[in-house]
Amino acid sequence: MSIIGPRPLLVEYLPLYNEKQKHRHDVQPGLSGLAQVSGRNAISWKDKFNLDVQYVDSVSFIGDWKIIFLTLKKVFMREGINSETAATMETFKEYAKSNGKPDIILASSVHPLTLVAGIKIAKKFGVPCICEVRDLWPESIVAYGALKKRSMIAKILY
């Protein structure tokens, strides 16, 4: 695994990729990438894959540094983090107004903070919350060959 590259996805998605999308695996997966600094979960899957392939096609030292700085900016500026004032919750309130109280909240994302937002929304509506973190780091890292399953780090993560 590298610092910059397409974020690893679940291994079960591999058979679903088309020929263009498979090129995201021409480089090592990374902790951050072009898709993450270009909108993260606010962009469609199609856009994420296009950005991943764009990164693969134009990978460069300067481009990686640009992504590192944009990642740091997003982290320090707290961009893309769900909070009580985020549009995500407002949109859900609007949805609830027009469709009634939800039966359950499903918080599913690669980012653990989504779980916090899901739990807060569920408490607000007084309904149960199912939380799922889709990016299974140990399995993804081992599947991509960046870590051996028998290593000490893998044993700790599993």
Side-chain angles (χ1 to χ4, degrees):
M1 179 166 244
S2 65
I3 294 174
I4 302 300
R7 292 274 296 139
L9 298 175
L10 294 176
V11 177
E12 64 194 54
Y13 294 165
L14 289 173
L16 304 175
Y17 296 156
N18 64 32
E19 288 305 312
K20 182 180 177 185
Q21 293 167 345
K22 287 180 184 178
H23 287 292
R24 71 188 307 275
H25 296 287
D26 291 349
V27 296
Q28 287 189 350
L31 298 174
S32 185
L34 186 58
Q36 284 64 50
V37 298
S38 300
R40 285 178 32 182
N41 294 329
I43 58 176
S44 69
W45 279 103
K46 180 181 177 183
D47 291 339
K48 285 181 190 183
F49 280 113
N50 287 339
L51 287 165
D52 287 344
V53 173
Q54 178 184 335
Y55 171 79
V56 170
D57 291 341
S58 62
V59 67
S60 70
F61 180 75
I62 293 172
D64 283 0
W65 276 105
K66 181 179 177 185
I67 293 171
I68 288 169
F69 287 123
L70 289 171
T71 300
L72 292 173
K73 177 186 173 220
K74 291 206 175 274
V75 168
F76 289 118
M77 298 299 289
R78 301 182 56 87
E79 292 178 15
I81 297 175
N82 292 329
S83 69
E84 292 184 65
T85 59
T88 310
M89 293 181 79
E90 296 302 318
T91 303
F92 191 79
K93 285 179 185 176
E94 291 300 317
Y95 171 84
K97 282 181 186 176
S98 62
N99 294 297
K101 180 179 171 182
D103 296 321
I104 194 165
I105 301 295
L106 175 61
S108 176
S109 176
V110 297
H111 199 288
L113 289 179
T114 302
L115 308 180
V116 175
I119 291 167
K120 282 187 170 189
I121 293 170
K123 282 183 180 179
K124 188 171 218 145
F125 286 104
V127 297
C129 180
I130 296 175
C131 298
E132 170 194 35
V133 177
R134 293 180 294 191
D135 191 2
L136 303 174
W137 272 91
E139 290 179 6
S140 297
I141 295 170
V142 169
Y144 285 110
L147 184 67
K148 299 208 183 297
K149 190 169 187 174
R150 295 177 193 230
S151 73
M152 181 61 75
I153 295 172
K155 288 178 182 178
I156 291 169
L157 293 173
Y158 276 100

